[in-house]
């Protein structure tokens, strides 16, 4: 789902907001996949006068405190919205400071959706001292159709009007203004919007002006700001103006949770409650009363070919997840309006809203009660603090009501197997069910059986220095980890997976070969995968000092889950992969007895813990590492403690054994220090790759329902 269209802050409104994209962003439009034409061939683009209702503010500097080492500074960002006329006016002024600014700031562009809006350019000019140079020339304007979301299998049809400016110099002020007219009819004429009061770059003067019609209710909610608007009456219109000067840059910190938003914002909405929003959603997700004969026939086959309704449910769910490919055509009303389920079934593709309505239509005909549910794949439970509106959501899933017990299903996920309680679900937090009687957000519960869990058993049979040693690795993946591995296997293929697993151990040991082919056993009913690797190790023992031998044994798959978390001075929470369970068991059979003390240790941090158990019995050593995540984030004030705990974990994993052949018994002088090189070897591919695939399949914040 995509709202039409959004500000660079990632939010959207019914007033067809434009996007001003300046600088290096232009390179995205000029890359492969762009379509280029001049504006003369587009009825939706024109050059004209500003609307009469627009008011002006001076673009002079409000501060001499220009940041160092930047190429340009934004002098003014002025956005004005007229709700009655469905128009949005934008004016941007930037000052070029150096050659970097000349390189990156010598072009301007404005984005709009031609399916529901038009773009009128008013001014593109350069102020150079006392000179005012006009750069608004129809012959110098190009219209680009750059589908930047095709890699996400989404086509949105948006256009960008771009001007490449000639003769830009240091000290120039570049000004651009335009108006976008139109509104997406899917919102039934209701207004909602949001704007930020800080940005990744410095802004000297910010203004947001809203003209609100008489007789309509406006709800305003502030986040991280106390800024209030100046209000005055203009006949039958009320004017709201938010203004702020000298706004410093605010860069989001790396590794912050998706739900964390440090930016000061103001949210505006004509929706007064979640109930109103649910009623709107219920209108566009009307239950389907009739489907095509082909779909009816398929549902009848599932009923007859399965032993129970529950079995038919799982077959239908897997069909929608795996057989209906993900592809969104999100133009105009289709940003939020689902496609007819029969058409989705026939063409075998759709986005989240299409797949959700198809699955609901099938399940309802199988005798279940299923409804679409709106969620935010990034902000999760944080939307509880938002002003209600469709703006709060960017994804659609399904709520299944089975005799009063609720199950949440995501038809866009693939390679899921097992029962409903064994299938993973991202931490969506809160959902709004698309039913007219829904009054509030509800919690999205995740069954513990579906949590990711990996058990790695590495069994070493170590021989004397002139004999081959053996390594057998049995990995068991459950829940989300099993689903992620299936996805990886389908994309890369068995041969590539086997080669990469071998390469990961080659980085750890000098000479490794497969002694048996890779074994993969997939238990669909339990949503569990078992992987068996068998290796021969040559030169396992390395010379230590001429008369002693040494070997290092390291749980690289575990270490890959424990990267250094970054700065202890972070002002944002630190995101954690949660829930996560990783059990790593190492057994070592040695050619001689080992002198090693047993060990039992628990290392607990603010958001994770590691339990270590080591037992020595003559020629055998067994080490068990049990890692568990405890929370999805670490508060800023506890990050230093988290870093210390993680360092302690890394310092206490691994083992170095020293052997004097035909002499003293084996000894273990110390725990092997953290070895990021070895850990990185497994991250490159292999079992730990499930962590990577989990990150890829969970979508980033989007301005559409996907």
């Amino acid at each position: 789902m995509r709202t039409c269209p959004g500000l660079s802050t990632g939010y959207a409104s019914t007033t067809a907001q434009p996007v001003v994209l300046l600088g290096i962003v232009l390179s995205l439009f000029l890359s492969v996949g762009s379509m280029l034409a001049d504006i003369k061939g587009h009825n939706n683009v024109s050059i004209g006068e500003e609307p009469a209702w627009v008011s002006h503010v001076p673009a002079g500097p409000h501060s001499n405190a220009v940041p160092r080492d930047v190429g340009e500074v934004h002098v003014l960002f002025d956005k004005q919205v007229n709700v009655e006329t469905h128009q949005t006016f934008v004016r941007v002024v930037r000052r070029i400071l150096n050659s970097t600014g000349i390189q990156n700031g010598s072009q301007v562009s404005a984005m709009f959706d031609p399916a529901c809006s038009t773009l009128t350019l008013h001014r593109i000019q350069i102020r150079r001292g006392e000179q005012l140079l006009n750069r608004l020339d129809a012959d110098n304007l190009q219209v680009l159709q750059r589908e930047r979301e095709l890699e996400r299998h989404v086509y949105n049809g948006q256009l960008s009007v771009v001007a490449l400016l000639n003769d830009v110099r240091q000290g120039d002020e570049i000004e651009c203004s335009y108006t976008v007219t139109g509104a997406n009819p899917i919102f039934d004429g209701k207004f909602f919007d949001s704007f930020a009061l800080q940005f990744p770059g410095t802004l000297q003067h910010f203004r947001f002006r809203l003209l609100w019609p008489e007789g309509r209710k406006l709800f305003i909610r502030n986040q991280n700001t106390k800024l209030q608007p100046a209000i005055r009456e203009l006949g039958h219109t009320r004017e709201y103006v938010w203004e702020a000067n000298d706004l410093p840059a605010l860069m989001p910190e790396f590794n912050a949770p998706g739900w964390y938003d440090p930016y000061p914002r103001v949210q505006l909405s004509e929706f007064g409650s979640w109930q109103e929003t649910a009623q709107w959603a219920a209108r566009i997700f009307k239950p389907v009363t009739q489907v095509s004969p082909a779909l009816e026939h398929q549902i009848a086959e599932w009923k007859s070919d399965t032993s129970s309704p529950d079995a038919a449910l799982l077959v239908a769910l897997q069909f929608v997840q795996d057989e209906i490919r993900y592809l969104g055509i999100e133009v105009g009303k289709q940003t939020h309006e689902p496609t007819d389920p029969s058409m989705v079934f026939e063409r075998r593709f759709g986005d989240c809203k299409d797949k959700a309505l198809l699955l609901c239509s099938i399940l309802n005909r199988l005798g279940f009660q299923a409804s679409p549910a709106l969620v935010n794949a990034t902000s999760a439970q944080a939307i509880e603090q938002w002003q209600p509106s469709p703006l709060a959501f960017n994804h659609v899933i399904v709520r299944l009501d089975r005799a009063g017990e609720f199950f949440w299903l995501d038809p866009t996920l693939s390679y899921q197997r097992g029962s409903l309680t064994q299938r993973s679900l991202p931490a969506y937090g809160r959902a709004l069910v698309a039913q007219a009687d829904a009054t509030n957000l509800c919690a999205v519960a995740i069954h513990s059986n579906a949590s990711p869990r990996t058990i790695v058993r590495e069994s070493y049979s170590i021989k004397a220095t002139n004999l081959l040693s053996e390594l057998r690795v049995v990995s068991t993946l459950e829940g989300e980890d099993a689903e992620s591995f299936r996805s990886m296997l389908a994309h890369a293929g068995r041969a590539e997976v086997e080669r990469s697993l071998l390469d990961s151990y080659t980085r750890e040991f000098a000479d490794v070969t497969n002694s048996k082919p890779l074994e993969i056993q997939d238990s669909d009913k339990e949503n569990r995968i078992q992987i068996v690797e068998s290796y021969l190790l040559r030169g396992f023992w390395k010379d230590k000092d001429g008369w002693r031998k040494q070997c290092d044994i390291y749980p690289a798959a575990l270490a890959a889950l424990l990267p250094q978390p970054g700065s202890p001075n972070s002002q944002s929470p630190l995101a954690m992969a949660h829930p996560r369970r990783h059990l790593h068991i190492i057994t070592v059979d040695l050619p001689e007895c080992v002198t090693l003390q047993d060990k039992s240790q628990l290392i607990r941090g603010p958001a994770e813990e590691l339990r270590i158990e080591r037992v020595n019995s003559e020629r055998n050593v067994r080490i068990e590492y049990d890692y568990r995540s405890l929370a999805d984030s670490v508060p800023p004030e506890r990050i230093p403690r988290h870093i210390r705990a993680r360092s302690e974990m890394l310092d206490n994993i691994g083992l170095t054994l020293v052997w004097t052949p035909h002499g003293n018994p084996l000894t273990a002088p110390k725990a092997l220090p953290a070895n990021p090189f070895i850990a990185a070897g497994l991250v490159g591919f292999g079992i730990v790759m499930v962590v990577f695939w989990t990150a890829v399949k969970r979508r980033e914040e989007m301005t559409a329902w996907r």
Side-chain angles (χ1 to χ4, degrees), residues 119-154:
L119 175 71
T120 303
L121 289 158
H122 310 306
R123 182 183 294 110
I124 300 177
Q125 63 184 24
I126 296 176
R127 183 179 297 276
R128 182 176 298 156
E130 299 298 322
Q131 291 183 287
L132 198 60
L133 309 174
N134 180 33
R135 292 292 189 265
L136 181 56
D137 182 356
D139 293 332
N140 194 37
L141 297 175
Q142 303 293 333
V143 180
L144 302 174
Q145 182 172 344
R146 166 63 173 130
E147 291 296 338
R148 293 181 294 163
E149 296 180 300
L150 279 181
E151 63 274 10
R152 294 179 180 165
H153 308 287
V154 174

Side-chain angles (χ1 to χ4, degrees), residues 648-664:
E648 186 180 0
M649 292 178 186
L650 289 169
D651 287 343
N652 281 275
I653 64 175
L655 188 68
T656 296
L657 296 172
V658 178
W659 179 35
T660 305
H662 309 296
N664 296 324

Side-chain angles (χ1 to χ4, degrees), residues 277-291:
T277 311
Q279 290 170 350
W280 165 82
R283 288 195 294 273
I284 66 172
F285 284 100
K286 292 179 181 178
V288 177
T289 58
Q290 186 175 359
V291 298

Side-chain angles (χ1 to χ4, degrees), residues 268-329:
L268 312 171
S269 180
E270 207 166 354
F271 291 84
S273 66
W274 294 117
Q275 184 174 13
E276 285 186 47
T277 311
Q279 290 170 350
W280 165 82
R283 288 195 294 273
I284 66 172
F285 284 100
K286 292 179 181 178
V288 177
T289 58
Q290 186 175 359
V291 298
S292 66
L295 181 52
E296 286 283 16
H297 177 73
Q298 179 64 80
I299 296 172
E301 277 193 0
W302 287 330
K303 286 182 178 179
S304 62
D305 293 346
T306 53
S307 58
S308 66
D310 285 351
L313 184 157
L314 294 178
V315 171
L317 173 59
Q318 187 168 328
F319 170 83
V320 176
Q321 288 181 326
D322 294 348
E323 300 298 326
I324 305 296
R325 77 180 190 274
Y326 184 89
L327 176 64
I329 301 177

Side-chain angles (χ1 to χ4, degrees), residues 206-223:
F206 171 86
R207 184 172 81 143
F208 185 98
R209 178 172 178 252
L210 176 67
L211 297 183
W212 190 255
E214 183 181 46
R216 293 170 66 171
K217 180 68 174 177
L218 175 66
F219 297 90
I220 303 174
R221 180 170 297 195
N222 285 10
Q223 292 181 322

Side-chain angles (χ1 to χ4, degrees), residues 454-480:
T454 293
I455 303 173
V456 178
R457 294 180 172 87
E458 292 182 321
S459 301
Y460 291 87
S461 179
I462 309 303
K463 304 298 192 299
T465 56
N466 60 341
L467 298 176
L468 291 175
S469 297
E470 298 175 1
L471 169 62
R472 188 171 188 265
V473 185
V474 180
S475 301
T476 304
L477 314 179
E478 299 176 354
E480 184 182 349

Side-chain angles (χ1 to χ4, degrees), residues 591-612:
E592 293 186 9
C593 293
V594 62
T595 303
L596 190 64
Q597 289 185 341
D598 292 348
K599 177 180 180 179
S600 180
Q601 184 179 13
L602 174 63
I603 305 171
R604 180 188 287 267
E608 60 187 354
E609 68 176 24
L610 177 65
R611 188 179 299 275
I612 304 173

